[in-house]
Amino acid sequence: MSTKRIQAMLLGIAVVACGFFSAGASAQDKDQVAASIQKKNESYKTVVSSCTQVKTMKGMKKNVTSQGKMYFIREANQMKMQFTGHKNSGKEKDNQLILNGDKVIMINGGSRNVFNTKTDHNMKLLQQTLLYCIKGQIAEAAKVNKSAFNLKTTDQYYVFDFDVAKSAKGRWNHLEASYSKKDMSLCILKLEEKNGNTTVYNTLQKEFNTVLTPDIFNY
């Protein structure tokens, strides 16, 4: 075998090996970042944050934007998002989403709906996804949504993409969770529904480990 042919073969092997190592390193980086985010978030026993909810609905010309507060207690797995939104009439409407035990409570103006996550699959999936994401448990969020996850980065965020399996029974086909590089907290959560609607939560200004009493989750 000629020297040139041997060199070409060695070069080809090197290129293939480099490809394997790059893929392995990428997967390793993804898992390492996810583990670091989960560990850091374990130190946040409570979170209070400003919160913006933006809904993009198929067939509507304008997004529906609501602003308010988000409260979270880790040990109790309790979470509350409380918004004030403006309808087309311009009048303010209070909206709340509360996760308390096995209940998901949705309050929209004067309308109140209580769902039991033991019997309602979609509400259980919503509950689990929100709690796992805010706790930084990325692998668990992917698992309940029957999805793999990929990592990309920006100057500010670690961004995890979840492509939900088509066989999954939930209402979403794609999730995106962005975590601050500074404090590893969840800052942006995007939920894309199968019907084309999208909800984006922004939780940018936070206070950690303040005293929260469980009665704020009463309904």
Side-chain angles (χ1 to χ4, degrees):
M1 185 180 295
S2 68
T3 301
K4 288 185 178 181
R5 189 172 180 182
I6 293 173
Q7 289 175 337
M9 289 177 62
L10 291 174
L11 179 61
I13 293 171
V15 169
V16 172
C18 181
F20 284 135
F21 286 131
S22 296
S26 177
Q28 185 179 19
D29 289 345
K30 176 184 69 173
D31 293 336
Q32 286 178 343
V33 171
S36 296
I37 288 172
Q38 180 171 336
K39 184 175 181 179
K40 179 62 177 177
N41 276 273
E42 288 171 358
S43 68
Y44 301 144
K45 304 307 179 185
T46 66
V47 181
V48 179
S49 175
S50 61
C51 188
T52 301
Q53 174 188 264
V54 180
K55 286 184 172 289
T56 303
M57 299 184 183
K58 196 172 181 180
M60 292 186 64
K61 295 181 179 180
K62 293 183 178 181
N63 296 340
V64 179
T65 301
S66 305
Q67 295 181 335
K69 285 276 191 179
M70 186 275 292
Y71 307 88
F72 168 70
I73 298 179
R74 167 177 282 273
E75 298 303 328
N77 271 343
Q78 291 170 307
M79 184 175 182
K80 178 179 180 179
M81 293 181 174
Q82 181 170 316
F83 304 103
T84 298
H86 295 273
K87 303 298 184 182
N88 293 334
S89 63
K91 295 181 180 179
E92 293 185 351
K93 298 289 185 180
D94 290 329
N95 302 285
Q96 296 181 34
L97 170 63
I98 304 171
L99 312 181
N100 192 348
D102 57 9
K103 298 292 189 295
V104 173
I105 303 96
M106 292 184 175
I107 301 170
N108 188 346
S111 176
R112 181 189 303 262
N113 294 290
V114 181
F115 304 91
N116 189 332
T117 58
K118 292 181 178 179
T119 56
D120 192 313
H121 173 77
N122 279 335
M123 289 300 158
K124 181 178 181 179
L125 189 58
L126 174 65
Q127 176 201 49
Q128 290 179 322
T129 300
L130 290 176
L131 288 175
Y132 283 140
C133 284
I134 195 170
K135 292 165 72 174
Q137 294 179 270
I138 295 153
E140 292 298 327
K143 183 178 178 181
V144 297
N145 284 284
K146 295 185 178 180
S147 67
F149 62 90
N150 296 307
L151 171 65
K152 57 185 178 182
T153 63
T154 68
D155 290 341
Q156 290 181 283
Y157 303 119
Y158 295 111
V159 183
F160 290 89
D161 281 316
F162 305 80
D163 284 319
V164 180
K166 292 182 179 179
S167 60
K169 295 181 180 179
R171 59 197 290 183
W172 307 305
N173 58 18
H174 185 79
L175 312 175
E176 186 177 280
S178 300
Y179 293 84
S180 166
K181 288 184 174 180
K182 183 178 179 180
D183 59 28
M184 300 292 193
S185 68
L186 178 67
C187 292
I188 305 170
L189 179 62
K190 182 178 181 180
L191 308 174
E192 296 180 11
E193 299 182 31
K194 294 176 180 177
N195 62 9
N197 295 339
T198 300
T199 302
V200 179
Y201 298 104
N202 288 269
T203 57
L204 299 179
Q205 296 178 333
K206 302 183 183 71
E207 296 178 9
F208 301 107
N209 299 327
T210 58
V211 177
L212 292 178
T213 56
D215 61 0
I216 67 171
F217 301 98
N218 291 345
Y219 61 93

